[in-house]
Amino acid sequence: EFIENKLKRQITFSKRKSGMMKKIHELTTLTGTEALLILVSETGHIYSYATPRMVSLVDDPDVNPIKNALETYDDAQAQAKVDAASRSTRSGRTKSSKSGGSSSSSK
């Protein structure tokens, strides 16, 4: 269930993030496997754990598909908000023109 209280949510994220980092480290150490763990907080901070062979996926600026994917996602989210606002503005004009009135908005 989603934690509504922002402070409690941040504390839970911090504690669980630490636990996940510890568990992934234990798993890779005990089994000799490769792993990459990426967590992105609600504020946009990126936390990662990577075994040596996976480090370039998060550290190398030239080959960083994770960062590129997140930036692409952020750009898409921002564009979706702009598109939604544009549609909302257009529908507001359409409704007011049908009723013969005029509309104005302030920012």
Side-chain angles (χ1 to χ4, degrees):
E1 182 177 327
F2 183 75
I3 301 170
E4 296 292 334
N5 182 291
K6 187 175 183 175
L7 180 60
K8 287 182 180 181
R9 190 168 59 245
Q10 289 172 338
I11 291 169
T12 299
F13 176 83
S14 179
K15 289 180 179 179
R16 300 238 175 169
K17 174 183 64 79
S18 297
M20 288 185 74
M21 295 290 189
K22 181 179 178 183
K23 290 291 184 185
I24 197 75
H25 175 74
E26 291 171 355
L27 177 66
T28 59
T29 301
L30 292 171
T31 62
T33 56
E34 297 295 326
L36 174 63
L37 172 68
I38 306 267
L39 296 172
V40 182
S41 71
E42 71 179 338
T43 59
H45 288 87
I46 300 171
Y47 302 90
S48 65
Y49 173 88
T51 52
R53 287 180 56 198
M54 301 290 171
V55 168
S56 67
L57 291 174
V58 290
D59 284 348
D60 186 344
D62 295 327
V63 183
N64 195 331
I66 310 291
K67 183 179 179 192
N68 293 339
L70 290 171
E71 287 173 351
T72 300
Y73 176 78
D74 287 344
D75 291 346
Q77 291 292 84
Q79 186 60 48
K81 287 179 182 177
V82 168
D83 292 346
S86 176
R87 282 191 301 275
S88 174
T89 302
R90 281 194 304 252
S91 3
R93 287 185 191 144
T94 303
K95 288 177 185 173
S96 63
S97 65
K98 286 181 182 176
S99 63
S102 65
S103 66
S104 64
S105 63
S106 63
K107 294 183 180 182

